[in-house]
Amino acid sequence: MSNLPDFLRIDSETRRVFLDGRNPAFYSDPNRVYALLHEHCPTFYWEEQRQWFFTGYDHVNALLRDRRFGRQILHIASREELGLPAPQPHLENFDLAERYSLLELEPPEHTRLRTLVNRAFVSRHIERLRPEIAELAEKLIDGFEKDGGTELLSSFADIIPVTMIARMIGIPDEMGPQLLAWSHAYVGMYMFKRTAEDEDAADRAAKKFADYVKDLIAERRRSPREDLLTHMIHTEHKGQYLTDDELVSTTIVLLNAGHEATVHQIGNSVRVILDGGLPPSELFRDDAATERTVEETLRICAPVHIFQRWALEDAEIDDLTFKRGDKVSLILAAANLDPKKFSDPRTFKPDRQEAPNLSFGAGIHFCIGAPLARLELNTVLPILFRRLPGMRIAKTPVVKDVYHFHGLERLDLSW
């Protein structure tokens, strides 16, 4: 195929794709590759990952909701039965922290955990945080406005999501930098071709993170407060309370998911808006316009690109047969660019009246923090562009080598 870049090979007949996920030419502009996959091979076997991947909107949307596929498999089959390797001793702390993660469980455990946490994240509760988010954004901009420029991730994007989720849980603001450091090390486990050093760093971070949360749990048991951690400790569901291990896993996943993706998305959104050339005064002219703008940035530059699912039973999808225990991957960010659903999909068009983006997933694992992330984006982006109307990109941004996340190393701006 003559129109393919030299780092990509596609065999449409066998649906085989050769692509190095750590190649900067790919992760710097994955949308270009997704467009080629939609053109030649929307469902494909990624040779380097040894797994089937789906990029079509309808397939991804359906698989996210398909109860024949789940986030875990060991609740219905043993490692021996599935031919899976034994747990690795050097990841003992990470595995323990993940054991009761909302992201990894299936019903009935998932239902119980999610029910206990969900109340704090429904839109009517989250909406009360708008003035606090706005105040924090204004204060941060006060700190760098006079400088005529800033590196936006470290001065703004890193701070707001971690501060807000930490305050909700009941963790002091000054822990923000440490939480960021633990989280960055922790999510290294989800990168393609992670190294032994990445794994050791993730395990160390999981141990320190868990120890900190355990101390916090003990403190809240002694002196309850009006925060999410106290709520999780003292709320029951059908006569059951969360165990300490469940509390640790849930707190860690809420902290990681509650800021990691939103940090990326603030940077991605600002870059897309500035590159798009549309006047910010129009994009943010009222709440409805702001919401459309935010949803379009989520569509075109999602912060999390892939979710995996286990086949819980035999199933046939797109003329492929999957057996129980097979793993498949869904590229949410590619589904958001499906030309069958979106006209001119790689163009930033906030006035679209097309399909909803899949950036927060769908089904029972739809992102519990979506209302918070949306509120943060809908609050801070209009403030940023109103306060700094002459804002422009000062240096070409570099995309982080953290695929399947998508975010910038830094975003240097001037005005």
Side-chain angles (χ1 to χ4, degrees), residues 285-360:
R285 68 183 176 276
D286 55 32
D287 289 349
T290 296
E291 194 174 319
R292 285 194 299 271
T293 297
V294 167
E295 292 305 308
E296 177 67 351
T297 66
L298 282 163
R299 183 194 70 82
I300 204 168
C301 56
V304 181
H305 281 211
I306 293 172
F307 270 109
Q308 296 185 322
R309 292 288 187 271
W310 293 96
L312 304 180
E313 59 185 78
D314 295 355
E316 190 171 302
I317 311 285
D318 197 13
D319 299 325
L320 298 169
T321 300
F322 296 101
K323 301 238 174 285
R324 185 171 85 146
D326 286 346
K327 215 174 192 182
V328 300
S329 283
L330 321 174
I331 310 187
L332 311 184
N336 287 341
L337 299 172
D338 189 338
K340 293 176 181 169
K341 290 287 175 185
F342 303 99
S343 57
D344 198 7
R346 290 168 67 197
T347 301
F348 176 62
K349 296 199 290 189
D351 56 353
R352 288 180 188 276
Q353 301 286 316
E354 296 172 322
N357 68 71
L358 295 176
S359 299
F360 292 111

Side-chain angles (χ1 to χ4, degrees), residues 113-318:
L113 275 173
R114 184 148 180 147
T115 302
L116 285 167
V117 177
N118 200 48
R119 192 170 66 88
F121 285 91
V122 295
S123 297
R124 66 179 179 278
H125 287 292
I126 293 296
E127 183 59 36
R128 297 174 194 162
L129 299 173
R130 189 184 290 271
E132 200 176 333
I133 296 167
E135 181 186 4
L136 179 56
E138 299 275 11
K139 182 180 162 194
L140 291 171
I141 296 169
D142 288 344
F144 57 71
E145 182 182 20
K146 63 186 178 305
D147 300 338
T150 192
E151 194 290 293
L152 193 75
L153 300 187
S154 55
S155 66
F156 190 79
D158 271 347
I159 299 167
I160 293 171
V162 74
T163 302
M164 293 312 301
I165 191 64
R167 285 178 184 176
M168 281 181 72
I169 290 169
I171 296 174
D173 287 4
E174 58 266 25
M175 277 298 292
Q178 181 60 74
L179 294 173
L180 282 171
W182 284 336
S183 178
H184 291 333
Y186 195 95
V187 299
M189 282 293 291
Y190 301 111
M191 295 190 312
F192 279 11
K193 291 193 179 173
R194 65 182 187 235
T195 63
E197 289 78 14
D198 293 329
E199 293 184 348
D200 290 338
D203 198 69
R204 284 194 301 272
K207 172 82 166 67
K208 290 174 183 171
F209 216 155
D211 287 347
Y212 175 76
V213 174
K214 283 175 192 167
D215 289 344
L216 208 59
I217 291 166
E219 190 184 304
R220 286 299 182 278
R221 285 210 166 102
R222 287 192 301 270
S223 359
R225 294 189 195 172
E226 290 293 319
D227 57 34
L228 181 53
L229 185 56
T230 301
H231 164 77
M232 292 193 298
I233 291 169
H234 295 285
T235 303
E236 62 172 329
H237 176 63
K238 296 184 178 174
Q240 288 184 298
Y241 292 88
L242 294 180
T243 66
D244 278 16
D245 283 344
E246 288 173 334
L247 285 165
V248 169
S249 284
T250 305
T251 303
I252 288 177
V253 78
L254 290 175
L255 278 164
N256 285 345
H259 78 270
E260 191 82 30
T262 313
V263 169
H264 289 333
Q265 192 58 33
I266 292 172
N268 293 348
S269 296
V270 171
R271 180 192 189 181
V272 161
I273 290 165
L274 290 174
D275 283 347
L278 299 173
S281 58
E282 275 300 300
L283 297 178
F284 301 111
R285 68 183 176 276
D286 55 32
D287 289 349
T290 296
E291 194 174 319
R292 285 194 299 271
T293 297
V294 167
E295 292 305 308
E296 177 67 351
T297 66
L298 282 163
R299 183 194 70 82
I300 204 168
C301 56
V304 181
H305 281 211
I306 293 172
F307 270 109
Q308 296 185 322
R309 292 288 187 271
W310 293 96
L312 304 180
E313 59 185 78
D314 295 355
E316 190 171 302
I317 311 285
D318 197 13

Side-chain angles (χ1 to χ4, degrees), residues 145 274 280 383-392 414-415:
E145 182 182 20
L274 290 174
I383 291 172
L384 191 65
F385 281 92
R386 171 177 54 77
R387 291 284 305 272
L388 305 169
M391 194 163 55
R392 63 186 183 277
S414 58
W415 49 86

